[in-house]
Coordinates of all heavy atoms in Angstrom, one line a residue:
M980 N 54.3 171.6 23.4 CA 53.8 170.6 24.2 C 52.4 170.3 24.0 O 51.5 171.1 24.1 CB 54.0 171.1 25.7 CG 53.5 170.1 26.7 SD 53.6 170.7 28.4 CE 52.5 172.0 28.4
G981 N 52.1 169.0 23.6 CA 50.8 168.6 23.3 C 50.1 167.9 24.5 O 50.7 167.8 25.6
L982 N 49.0 167.3 24.3 CA 48.2 166.6 25.3 C 49.0 165.3 25.8 O 49.0 165.0 27.0 CB 46.9 166.2 24.8 CG 45.9 165.6 25.9 CD1 45.7 166.6 27.0 CD2 44.6 165.2 25.3
L983 N 49.7 164.7 24.9 CA 50.4 163.4 25.1 C 51.8 163.4 24.8 O 52.5 162.5 25.0 CB 49.7 162.2 24.4 CG 48.2 162.0 24.8 CD1 47.6 160.9 23.9 CD2 48.1 161.6 26.3
T984 N 52.4 164.5 24.2 CA 53.8 164.5 23.7 C 54.6 165.3 24.8 O 54.2 166.1 25.4 CB 53.9 165.2 22.4 OG1 53.3 166.6 22.5 CG2 53.1 164.5 21.4
K985 N 55.9 164.9 24.7 CA 56.8 165.5 25.7 C 57.9 166.2 24.9 O 58.3 165.9 23.7 CB 57.6 164.4 26.5 CG 56.7 163.6 27.4 CD 57.5 162.6 28.2 CE 56.6 161.9 29.2 NZ 57.5 161.1 30.1
D986 N 58.4 167.3 25.4 CA 59.5 168.1 24.8 C 60.7 167.8 25.6 O 60.7 167.6 26.8 CB 59.2 169.6 24.9 CG 58.1 170.0 24.0 OD1 57.8 169.3 22.9 OD2 57.3 170.9 24.3
I987 N 61.9 167.9 25.0 CA 63.2 167.8 25.6 C 64.0 169.0 25.4 O 64.1 169.6 24.3 CB 63.9 166.5 25.0 CG1 63.1 165.2 25.3 CG2 65.4 166.5 25.6 CD1 63.8 164.0 24.7
E988 N 64.6 169.5 26.6 CA 65.4 170.7 26.5 C 66.8 170.4 27.1 O 66.8 169.5 28.0 CB 64.9 171.9 27.3 CG 63.5 172.4 26.8 CD 63.0 173.5 27.7 OE1 63.8 174.2 28.4 OE2 61.7 173.7 27.8
H989 N 67.8 171.0 26.7 CA 69.1 171.0 27.3 C 69.5 172.4 27.9 O 69.2 173.3 27.3 CB 70.2 170.6 26.3 CG 69.9 169.2 25.7 ND1 70.1 168.0 26.3 CD2 69.2 168.8 24.5 CE1 69.8 167.0 25.5 NE2 69.2 167.5 24.5
A990 N 70.0 172.3 29.1 CA 70.4 173.6 29.8 C 71.7 173.5 30.5 O 71.9 172.5 31.2 CB 69.2 174.0 30.7
P991 N 72.4 174.5 30.6 CA 73.6 174.5 31.5 C 73.1 174.7 32.9 O 72.1 175.4 33.1 CB 74.4 175.7 30.9 CG 73.4 176.6 30.3 CD 72.3 175.7 29.8
C992 N 73.8 174.2 33.9 CA 73.4 174.3 35.2 C 74.6 174.2 36.2 O 75.8 173.9 35.8 CB 72.4 173.2 35.6 SG 73.1 171.5 35.6
T993 N 74.4 174.6 37.4 CA 75.5 174.7 38.4 C 74.9 173.7 39.5 O 73.9 173.9 40.0 CB 75.7 176.1 39.0 OG1 76.1 176.9 37.9 CG2 76.8 176.0 40.1
V994 N 75.7 172.7 39.9 CA 75.4 171.8 40.9 C 76.2 172.2 42.2 O 77.3 172.4 42.1 CB 75.7 170.3 40.5 CG1 75.4 169.4 41.6 CG2 75.0 169.9 39.2
E995 N 75.4 172.3 43.3 CA 76.1 172.7 44.6 C 75.8 171.5 45.6 O 74.6 171.2 45.9 CB 75.6 173.9 45.1 CG 76.1 174.3 46.5 CD 75.5 175.6 47.0 OE1 75.9 176.7 46.4 OE2 74.7 175.6 47.9
I996 N 76.8 170.9 46.1 CA 76.8 169.9 47.1 C 77.4 170.4 48.3 O 78.5 170.8 48.4 CB 77.5 168.6 46.6 CG1 77.1 168.1 45.3 CG2 77.3 167.5 47.6 CD1 75.8 167.6 45.1
S997 N 76.6 170.3 49.5 CA 77.2 170.8 50.8 C 77.1 169.6 51.7 O 76.2 168.9 51.8 CB 76.3 171.9 51.4 OG 76.7 172.2 52.6
H998 N 78.4 169.4 52.4 CA 78.5 168.3 53.3 C 79.1 168.8 54.6 O 80.2 168.5 54.9 CB 79.3 167.1 52.7 CG 79.4 165.9 53.5 ND1 80.3 164.9 53.2 CD2 78.7 165.5 54.6 CE1 80.1 163.9 54.1 NE2 79.1 164.3 54.9
R999 N 78.4 169.7 55.2 CA 78.8 170.4 56.4 C 77.8 170.1 57.6 O 76.8 169.6 57.3 CB 78.8 171.9 56.3 CG 79.8 172.4 55.1 CD 79.8 173.8 55.0 NE 78.6 174.5 55.4 CZ 78.4 175.8 55.4 NH1 79.3 176.5 54.9 NH2 77.2 176.3 55.7
F1000 N 78.3 170.3 58.8 CA 77.5 170.0 60.0 C 76.2 170.9 59.9 O 75.2 170.4 60.3 CB 78.3 170.3 61.3 CG 77.6 170.1 62.5 CD1 77.2 168.8 63.0 CD2 77.0 171.1 63.2 CE1 76.6 168.5 64.1 CE2 76.3 170.9 64.3 CZ 76.1 169.7 64.8
E1001 N 76.4 172.1 59.5 CA 75.3 173.0 59.5 C 74.3 172.7 58.4 O 73.1 173.1 58.5 CB 75.7 174.5 59.3 CG 76.7 175.0 60.3 CD 78.1 174.6 60.1 OE1 78.5 174.2 58.9 OE2 78.9 174.6 61.1
S1002 N 74.7 172.1 57.3 CA 73.9 172.0 56.1 C 74.3 170.8 55.3 O 75.5 170.7 54.9 CB 73.9 173.2 55.3 OG 73.1 173.1 54.1
L1003 N 73.4 169.9 55.0 CA 73.6 168.8 54.1 C 72.6 168.9 53.0 O 71.5 168.6 53.2 CB 73.5 167.4 54.9 CG 73.7 166.1 54.0 CD1 75.1 166.1 53.5 CD2 73.3 165.0 54.9
H1004 N 73.1 169.3 51.9 CA 72.1 169.5 50.7 C 72.7 169.3 49.3 O 74.0 169.4 49.2 CB 71.5 170.9 50.8 CG 72.4 172.1 50.5 ND1 72.9 172.8 51.6 CD2 72.9 172.6 49.4 CE1 73.7 173.7 51.0 NE2 73.7 173.6 49.8
A1005 N 71.9 169.2 48.3 CA 72.3 169.2 47.0 C 71.3 170.1 46.2 O 70.1 169.8 46.3 CB 72.4 167.8 46.4
H1006 N 71.8 171.1 45.4 CA 71.0 172.0 44.7 C 71.4 172.0 43.2 O 72.6 172.0 43.0 CB 70.9 173.3 45.2 CG 70.4 173.5 46.6 ND1 69.0 173.3 46.8 CD2 70.9 173.7 47.8 CE1 68.8 173.5 48.1 NE2 70.0 173.7 48.7
V1007 N 70.5 172.1 42.3 CA 70.7 172.4 40.9 C 70.1 173.7 40.5 O 68.9 173.9 40.7 CB 70.2 171.2 40.0 CG1 70.4 171.6 38.5 CG2 70.8 169.9 40.3
R1008 N 71.0 174.6 40.0 CA 70.4 175.9 39.5 C 70.7 176.0 38.0 O 71.9 175.8 37.6 CB 71.2 177.1 40.2 CG 70.8 177.1 41.7 CD 71.5 178.3 42.4 NE 71.1 178.4 43.8 CZ 71.8 177.7 44.8 NH1 72.8 177.0 44.4 NH2 71.4 177.8 46.0
F1009 N 69.7 176.3 37.3 CA 69.8 176.5 35.8 C 70.4 177.8 35.4 O 69.9 178.8 35.8 CB 68.5 176.2 35.1 CG 68.0 174.8 35.3 CD1 66.9 174.6 36.2 CD2 68.6 173.8 34.6 CE1 66.5 173.3 36.4 CE2 68.1 172.4 34.8 CZ 67.1 172.2 35.7
D1010 N 71.5 177.8 34.7 CA 72.3 179.1 34.4 C 71.5 180.0 33.5 O 71.7 181.1 33.4 CB 73.6 178.7 33.9 CG 74.5 177.9 35.0 OD1 74.2 178.1 36.1 OD2 75.4 177.3 34.5
N1011 N 70.6 179.4 32.7 CA 69.9 180.1 31.7 C 68.4 180.6 32.2 O 67.7 181.1 31.4 CB 69.8 179.4 30.4 CG 69.0 178.1 30.4 OD1 68.6 177.7 31.5 ND2 68.9 177.5 29.3
G1012 N 68.2 180.3 33.4 CA 66.9 180.8 34.0 C 65.8 179.8 33.7 O 64.6 180.2 34.0
T1013 N 66.0 178.7 33.2 CA 65.0 177.6 33.0 C 64.2 177.3 34.3 O 64.8 177.2 35.4 CB 65.6 176.4 32.4 OG1 66.2 176.7 31.2 CG2 64.5 175.3 32.2
T1014 N 62.9 177.1 34.2 CA 62.1 176.7 35.3 C 61.6 175.3 35.1 O 61.2 174.9 34.1 CB 60.8 177.7 35.4 OG1 61.4 179.0 35.6 CG2 60.0 177.3 36.7
V1015 N 61.6 174.5 36.2 CA 61.0 173.1 36.1 C 59.7 173.2 36.7 O 59.4 173.8 37.7 CB 62.0 172.2 37.0 CG1 61.4 170.8 37.0 CG2 63.4 172.2 36.3
Y1016 N 58.7 172.6 36.1 CA 57.3 172.5 36.5 C 56.9 171.1 37.0 O 57.7 170.2 36.8 CB 56.4 172.9 35.3 CG 56.7 174.2 34.8 CD1 57.5 174.5 33.7 CD2 56.2 175.4 35.5 CE1 57.7 175.8 33.2 CE2 56.5 176.7 35.0 CZ 57.2 176.8 33.9 OH 57.5 178.1 33.5
P1017 N 55.8 171.0 37.6 CA 55.4 169.7 38.1 C 55.3 168.6 37.0 O 54.7 168.9 36.0 CB 54.0 169.9 38.8 CG 54.0 171.4 39.1 CD 54.9 172.0 38.0
G1018 N 55.9 167.5 37.3 CA 55.9 166.4 36.3 C 57.1 166.4 35.5 O 57.3 165.3 34.8
D1019 N 57.9 167.4 35.4 CA 59.1 167.4 34.6 C 60.1 166.6 35.2 O 60.2 166.4 36.4 CB 59.6 168.9 34.4 CG 58.7 169.8 33.6 OD1 57.8 169.2 32.9 OD2 59.0 171.0 33.5
E1020 N 61.0 166.0 34.3 CA 62.2 165.1 34.8 C 63.4 165.9 34.4 O 63.5 166.5 33.3 CB 62.1 163.8 34.1 CG 60.8 163.0 34.4 CD 60.8 161.7 33.5 OE1 61.9 161.1 33.5 OE2 59.8 161.4 33.1
V1021 N 64.4 165.8 35.3 CA 65.7 166.5 35.1 C 66.8 165.4 35.3 O 66.8 164.8 36.3 CB 65.9 167.7 36.1 CG1 67.3 168.2 35.9 CG2 64.9 168.7 35.9
K1022 N 67.7 165.4 34.3 CA 68.9 164.5 34.5 C 70.1 165.3 34.3 O 70.3 166.0 33.2 CB 68.8 163.4 33.4 CG 70.1 162.5 33.5 CD 70.0 161.3 32.6 CE 71.2 160.5 32.9 NZ 71.2 159.1 32.2
V1023 N 71.0 165.4 35.3 CA 72.2 166.1 35.3 C 73.3 165.2 34.8 O 73.5 164.1 35.4 CB 72.5 166.7 36.6 CG1 73.8 167.4 36.6 CG2 71.5 167.6 37.1
H1024 N 74.1 165.5 33.8 CA 75.0 164.7 33.1 C 76.4 164.9 33.9 O 76.7 166.0 34.3 CB 75.2 165.0 31.7 CG 73.9 164.8 31.0 ND1 73.4 163.6 30.6 CD2 73.0 165.7 30.5 CE1 72.2 163.7 30.0 NE2 71.9 165.0 29.9
G1025 N 77.2 163.8 33.8 CA 78.6 163.9 34.4 C 78.8 163.0 35.5 O 77.9 162.3 35.9
P1026 N 80.1 162.8 36.0 CA 80.4 161.8 37.0 C 79.8 162.3 38.4 O 79.4 163.4 38.6 CB 81.9 161.8 37.0 CG 82.3 163.1 36.5 CD 81.2 163.5 35.5
E1027 N 79.7 161.3 39.3 CA 79.2 161.6 40.6 C 80.1 162.6 41.3 O 81.3 162.7 41.2 CB 79.3 160.3 41.4 CG 78.8 160.3 42.8 CD 78.8 159.0 43.5 OE1 78.3 158.0 42.9 OE2 79.4 158.9 44.6
I1028 N 79.4 163.5 42.1 CA 80.1 164.5 42.8 C 80.2 164.1 44.3 O 79.2 163.8 44.9 CB 79.5 165.9 42.7 CG1 79.4 166.3 41.2 CG2 80.2 166.9 43.5 CD1 78.6 167.5 41.0
M1029 N 81.4 164.1 44.9 CA 81.5 163.8 46.3 C 82.2 164.9 47.0 O 83.2 165.4 46.6 CB 82.4 162.5 46.5 CG 81.8 161.2 45.9 SD 80.3 160.7 46.7 CE 80.8 160.3 48.3
A1030 N 81.5 165.5 48.0 CA 82.0 166.6 48.8 C 82.6 166.0 50.1 O 81.9 165.3 50.9 CB 80.9 167.6 49.0
P1031 N 83.9 166.3 50.4 CA 84.4 165.9 51.7 C 83.7 166.7 52.8 O 83.2 167.7 52.6 CB 85.8 166.4 51.6 CG 86.1 166.6 50.1 CD 84.8 167.0 49.5
F1032 N 83.7 166.0 54.0 CA 83.0 166.6 55.1 C 83.6 167.9 55.4 O 84.7 168.2 55.4 CB 83.2 165.7 56.4 CG 82.4 166.3 57.6 CD1 81.0 166.2 57.6 CD2 83.1 166.9 58.6 CE1 80.3 166.7 58.7 CE2 82.3 167.4 59.6 CZ 80.9 167.3 59.7
G1033 N 82.6 169.0 55.7 CA 83.1 170.3 56.0 C 83.2 171.2 54.8 O 83.6 172.3 55.0
E1034 N 82.9 170.7 53.6 CA 83.1 171.5 52.4 C 81.8 171.6 51.6 O 80.9 170.8 51.6 CB 84.2 170.9 51.5 CG 85.6 170.9 52.1 CD 86.6 170.5 51.2 OE1 86.4 170.5 50.0 OE2 87.7 170.1 51.7
I1035 N 81.9 172.6 50.7 CA 80.8 172.9 49.7 C 81.4 172.8 48.4 O 82.5 173.4 48.1 CB 80.1 174.2 49.8 CG1 79.4 174.2 51.2 CG2 79.1 174.4 48.7 CD1 78.8 175.6 51.5
V1036 N 81.0 171.9 47.4 CA 81.5 171.8 46.1 C 80.5 172.3 45.1 O 79.3 172.0 45.1 CB 81.8 170.3 45.8 CG1 82.4 170.1 44.4 CG2 82.8 169.7 46.8
R1037 N 81.0 173.1 44.1 CA 80.2 173.7 43.1 C 80.8 173.3 41.7 O 81.9 173.5 41.6 CB 80.0 175.1 43.1 CG 79.2 175.6 44.3 CD 79.1 177.2 44.3 NE 78.4 177.6 45.5 CZ 79.0 177.9 46.6 NH1 80.3 177.8 46.7 NH2 78.3 178.3 47.7
E1038 N 80.0 172.7 40.8 CA 80.5 172.3 39.5 C 79.4 172.7 38.4 O 78.2 172.7 38.7 CB 80.7 170.8 39.4 CG 81.9 170.3 40.2 CD 82.2 168.9 39.9 OE1 81.7 168.4 38.9 OE2 83.0 168.3 40.7
S1039 N 79.9 173.1 37.3 CA 79.1 173.4 36.1 C 78.8 172.1 35.4 O 79.8 171.4 35.1 CB 79.7 174.4 35.2 OG 79.9 175.6 36.0
R1040 N 77.6 171.9 35.0 CA 77.2 170.7 34.3 C 76.2 171.0 33.2 O 75.7 172.2 33.1 CB 76.6 169.6 35.2 CG 77.5 169.1 36.3 CD 78.5 168.1 35.7 NE 79.5 167.7 36.7 CZ 79.3 166.5 37.4 NH1 78.3 165.8 37.3 NH2 80.3 166.2 38.2
E1041 N 75.8 170.0 32.4 CA 74.8 170.1 31.4 C 73.6 169.3 32.0 O 73.8 168.1 32.4 CB 75.3 169.6 30.1 CG 74.3 169.7 28.9 CD 74.1 171.1 28.5 OE1 75.0 172.0 28.7 OE2 73.1 171.4 27.7
A1042 N 72.4 169.7 31.8 CA 71.2 169.0 32.3 C 70.2 168.8 31.1 O 70.1 169.6 30.2 CB 70.5 169.7 33.3
T1043 N 69.5 167.7 31.1 CA 68.5 167.4 30.2 C 67.2 167.5 30.9 O 67.0 166.8 31.9 CB 68.6 166.0 29.5 OG1 69.9 166.0 28.9 CG2 67.5 165.7 28.5
I1044 N 66.2 168.3 30.4 CA 64.9 168.4 31.0 C 63.9 167.8 30.1 O 63.7 168.2 28.9 CB 64.6 169.9 31.2 CG1 65.7 170.6 32.1 CG2 63.2 170.0 31.9 CD1 65.6 172.0 32.1
I1045 N 63.1 166.7 30.6 CA 62.1 166.2 29.8 C 60.8 166.7 30.4 O 60.4 166.5 31.5 CB 62.1 164.7 30.0 CG1 63.5 164.2 29.4 CG2 61.0 164.0 29.2 CD1 63.7 162.6 29.8
R1046 N 60.1 167.6 29.5 CA 59.0 168.3 30.0 C 57.8 167.3 30.0 O 57.6 166.5 29.0 CB 58.6 169.4 29.0 CG 59.7 170.5 29.0 CD 59.7 171.3 30.2 NE 60.7 172.3 30.2 CZ 61.0 173.1 31.2 NH1 60.3 172.9 32.4 NH2 61.8 174.1 31.1
A1047 N 57.0 167.3 31.0 CA 55.8 166.5 31.1 C 54.7 166.9 30.0 O 54.7 168.1 29.7 CB 55.2 166.6 32.5
S1048 N 54.0 166.0 29.5 CA 52.8 166.3 28.7 C 51.8 167.0 29.5 O 51.9 167.0 30.7 CB 52.3 165.1 28.0 OG 51.7 164.2 29.0
A1049 N 50.9 167.6 28.8 CA 49.8 168.4 29.5 C 49.0 167.4 30.4 O 48.6 167.8 31.5 CB 48.9 169.0 28.4
L1050 N 48.8 166.2 29.9 CA 48.0 165.2 30.7 C 48.8 164.8 31.9 O 48.2 164.8 33.1 CB 47.7 164.0 29.9 CG 46.7 163.0 30.5 CD1 45.5 163.6 30.8 CD2 46.6 161.8 29.6
E1051 N 50.1 164.6 31.8 CA 51.0 164.2 33.0 C 51.0 165.4 34.0 O 51.0 165.2 35.2 CB 52.4 163.9 32.6 CG 52.5 162.6 31.9 CD 53.9 162.3 31.3 OE1 54.5 163.3 30.7 OE2 54.4 161.2 31.5
R1052 N 51.2 166.6 33.5 CA 51.2 167.8 34.3 C 49.9 167.9 35.2 O 50.0 168.2 36.4 CB 51.5 169.0 33.6 CG 51.6 170.2 34.4 CD 52.4 171.3 33.7 NE 53.8 170.9 33.6 CZ 54.5 171.2 32.5 NH1 54.1 171.9 31.6 NH2 55.7 170.6 32.4
L1053 N 48.7 167.7 34.5 CA 47.5 167.8 35.2 C 47.4 166.7 36.2 O 47.0 166.9 37.4 CB 46.4 167.6 34.1 CG 44.9 167.7 34.7 CD1 44.6 169.0 35.3 CD2 43.9 167.3 33.6
W1054 N 47.8 165.5 35.9 CA 47.7 164.3 36.8 C 48.6 164.6 38.0 O 48.3 164.3 39.2 CB 48.2 163.1 36.1 CG 48.2 161.9 37.0 CD1 49.3 161.3 37.6 CD2 47.1 161.1 37.5 NE1 49.0 160.2 38.4 CE2 47.5 160.1 38.4 CE3 45.7 161.3 37.3 CZ2 46.7 159.2 39.0 CZ3 44.9 160.3 38.0 CH2 45.4 159.3 38.8
T1055 N 49.8 165.1 37.8 CA 50.8 165.4 38.9 C 50.2 166.5 39.8 O 50.3 166.4 41.1 CB 52.2 165.9 38.3 OG1 52.7 164.9 37.5 CG2 53.1 166.2 39.5
R1056 N 49.6 167.6 39.3 CA 49.0 168.5 40.2 C 47.8 168.0 41.0 O 47.6 168.3 42.1 CB 48.5 169.7 39.3 CG 49.6 170.6 38.8 CD 49.0 171.7 38.0 NE 50.1 172.5 37.4 CZ 50.7 173.6 38.1 NH1 50.3 173.9 39.3 NH2 51.6 174.3 37.5
W1057 N 47.0 167.1 40.4 CA 45.8 166.5 41.0 C 46.2 165.5 42.1 O 45.6 165.5 43.1 CB 44.9 165.8 39.9 CG 43.6 165.4 40.4 CD1 42.6 166.3 40.8 CD2 43.1 164.1 40.5 NE1 41.5 165.5 41.3 CE2 41.8 164.2 41.0 CE3 43.6 162.9 40.2 CZ2 41.0 163.1 41.2 CZ3 42.8 161.8 40.4 CH2 41.6 161.9 40.9
T1058 N 47.3 164.7 41.9 CA 47.6 163.6 42.8 C 48.7 164.1 43.7 O 49.0 163.4 44.7 CB 47.9 162.4 42.2 OG1 49.1 162.6 41.3 CG2 46.8 161.8 41.3
G1059 N 49.4 165.2 43.6 CA 50.5 165.6 44.3 C 50.2 165.7 45.8 O 51.1 165.3 46.6
D1060 N 49.2 166.2 46.2 CA 48.8 166.5 47.6 C 48.7 165.1 48.3 O 49.0 164.9 49.5 CB 47.5 167.3 47.7 CG 47.7 168.7 47.3 OD1 48.9 169.2 47.3 OD2 46.7 169.3 46.9
F1061 N 48.1 164.1 47.6 CA 48.0 162.8 48.2 C 49.4 162.1 48.5 O 49.6 161.5 49.4 CB 47.1 161.9 47.4 CG 45.7 162.4 47.2 CD1 45.3 162.7 45.9 CD2 44.9 162.7 48.2 CE1 44.1 163.2 45.7 CE2 43.6 163.2 48.0 CZ 43.2 163.5 46.7
E1062 N 50.2 162.3 47.5 CA 51.6 161.6 47.6 C 52.4 162.3 48.7 O 53.3 161.6 49.3 CB 52.3 161.7 46.3 CG 51.6 160.8 45.3 CD 52.3 160.8 43.9 OE1 53.4 161.3 43.8 OE2 51.7 160.3 43.0
V1063 N 52.2 163.5 49.0 CA 52.9 164.2 50.1 C 52.7 163.5 51.4 O 53.5 163.5 52.3 CB 52.6 165.7 50.1 CG1 53.1 166.4 51.4 CG2 53.2 166.4 48.9
M1064 N 51.5 163.1 51.6 CA 51.1 162.4 52.8 C 51.9 161.2 53.1 O 52.1 160.7 54.2 CB 49.6 162.1 52.8 CG 48.7 163.3 52.8 SD 49.1 164.4 54.2 CE 48.6 163.5 55.6
E1065 N 52.4 160.6 52.1 CA 53.3 159.4 52.2 C 54.6 159.8 53.0 O 55.2 158.9 53.6 CB 53.7 158.7 50.9 CG 52.5 158.1 50.2 CD 52.9 157.5 48.9 OE1 54.1 157.4 48.6 OE2 52.0 157.2 48.1
L1066 N 55.0 160.9 52.9 CA 56.2 161.4 53.6 C 56.0 161.7 55.1 O 57.0 161.8 55.8 CB 56.7 162.7 52.9 CG 57.2 162.6 51.5 CD1 57.5 163.9 50.9 CD2 58.3 161.6 51.2
C1067 N 54.8 161.8 55.5 CA 54.5 162.1 56.8 C 54.4 160.9 57.7 O 53.9 159.8 57.2 CB 53.1 162.9 57.0 SG 53.0 164.4 56.2
E1068 N 54.9 160.9 58.9 CA 54.8 159.8 59.8 C 54.1 160.4 61.1 O 54.5 161.4 61.7 CB 56.2 159.3 60.2 CG 56.1 158.2 61.1 CD 57.5 157.6 61.5 OE1 58.4 157.7 60.6 OE2 57.7 157.1 62.6
F1069 N 53.0 159.7 61.5 CA 52.3 160.2 62.6 C 52.3 159.1 63.7 O 52.4 157.9 63.4 CB 50.8 160.4 62.2 CG 50.6 161.4 61.2 CD1 50.4 161.1 59.9 CD2 50.5 162.7 61.6 CE1 50.2 162.1 58.9 CE2 50.4 163.7 60.7 CZ 50.2 163.5 59.3
S1070 N 52.4 159.6 64.9 CA 52.4 158.6 66.1 C 51.5 159.2 67.2 O 51.6 160.4 67.5 CB 53.8 158.5 66.6 OG 53.8 157.7 67.8
F1071 N 50.6 158.4 67.6 CA 49.8 158.8 68.7 C 49.9 157.8 69.9 O 49.9 156.6 69.8 CB 48.3 158.7 68.3 CG 48.0 159.6 67.1 CD1 47.9 159.1 65.8 CD2 47.7 160.9 67.3 CE1 47.7 159.9 64.8 CE2 47.5 161.8 66.3 CZ 47.4 161.2 65.0
S1072 N 50.4 158.4 71.0 CA 50.5 157.6 72.2 C 50.1 158.4 73.4 O 50.0 159.6 73.4 CB 51.9 157.2 72.4 OG 52.8 158.3 72.6
E1073 N 49.8 157.7 74.5 CA 49.3 158.4 75.8 C 50.5 159.0 76.5 O 50.3 159.9 77.3 CB 48.6 157.4 76.6 CG 47.3 156.9 75.9 CD 46.5 156.0 76.8 OE1 46.8 155.9 78.0 OE2 45.6 155.2 76.3
E1074 N 51.7 158.4 76.4 CA 52.8 158.9 77.2 C 53.8 159.6 76.2 O 54.1 159.0 75.1 CB 53.4 157.8 77.9 CG 52.5 157.1 79.0 CD 53.3 156.1 79.8 OE1 54.6 156.0 79.7 OE2 52.5 155.3 80.4
V1075 N 54.5 160.5 76.8 CA 55.6 161.1 76.0 C 56.9 160.7 76.7 O 57.1 160.9 77.9 CB 55.5 162.7 76.0 CG1 56.7 163.3 75.4 CG2 54.2 163.1 75.4
T1076 N 57.8 160.1 75.9 CA 59.1 159.7 76.4 C 60.1 160.3 75.5 O 60.1 160.5 74.4 CB 59.2 158.2 76.4 OG1 59.1 157.7 75.0 CG2 58.2 157.4 77.3
L1077 N 61.2 160.7 76.3 CA 62.3 161.3 75.6 C 63.6 160.5 75.8 O 63.8 159.8 76.6 CB 62.6 162.7 76.1 CG 61.5 163.7 75.8 CD1 61.9 165.0 76.5 CD2 61.3 164.0 74.4

């Protein structure tokens, strides 16, 4: 990995989709222990997975990981804290209503 170049890796992975009342989530776990770092991009190959309500679906897939360059990784770490604030919603009012 250079200052401006990107590396591409392929890794087997397990995709878990949960569509239950207790938990609604989608997780990707790399079967070979690969770690994703800030700025990296991951694309999981294959058709869309739909989990019926009340079930958890697990499928084995292949993923492509595009590693961020050193400059992109540095930029992501530097600006990441600012971008998290976009997810926050603040409301200030004098009265509390439920």
Side-chain angles (χ1 to χ4, degrees):
M980 175 182 67
L982 184 62
L983 298 174
T984 59
K985 296 182 177 188
D986 293 332
I987 296 176
E988 295 180 27
H989 299 280
C992 64
T993 300
V994 178
E995 178 181 288
I996 308 289
S997 173
H998 189 188
R999 299 183 329 182
F1000 178 77
E1001 302 84 16
S1002 176
L1003 179 64
H1004 68 259
H1006 295 289
V1007 175
R1008 291 183 181 86
F1009 296 105
D1010 299 336
N1011 63 358
T1013 299
T1014 303
V1015 177
Y1016 299 102
D1019 292 348
E1020 299 174 40
V1021 177
K1022 179 174 181 170
V1023 178
H1024 303 283
E1027 180 179 307
I1028 301 172
M1029 295 297 293
F1032 183 76
E1034 293 187 23
I1035 297 175
V1036 176
R1037 288 181 187 89
E1038 290 191 14
S1039 295
R1040 297 284 176 95
E1041 185 75 18
T1043 300
I1044 304 166
I1045 302 171
R1046 299 288 183 187
S1048 66
L1050 188 59
E1051 287 175 316
R1052 185 157 293 144
L1053 180 65
W1054 178 257
T1055 302
R1056 286 182 185 270
W1057 189 63
T1058 61
D1060 293 336
F1061 301 119
E1062 292 180 12
V1063 167
M1064 293 306 292
E1065 291 179 14
L1066 300 174
C1067 297
E1068 181 179 329
F1069 298 98
S1070 175
F1071 300 98
S1072 62
E1073 294 181 18
E1074 296 181 20
V1075 176
T1076 58
L1077 297 175

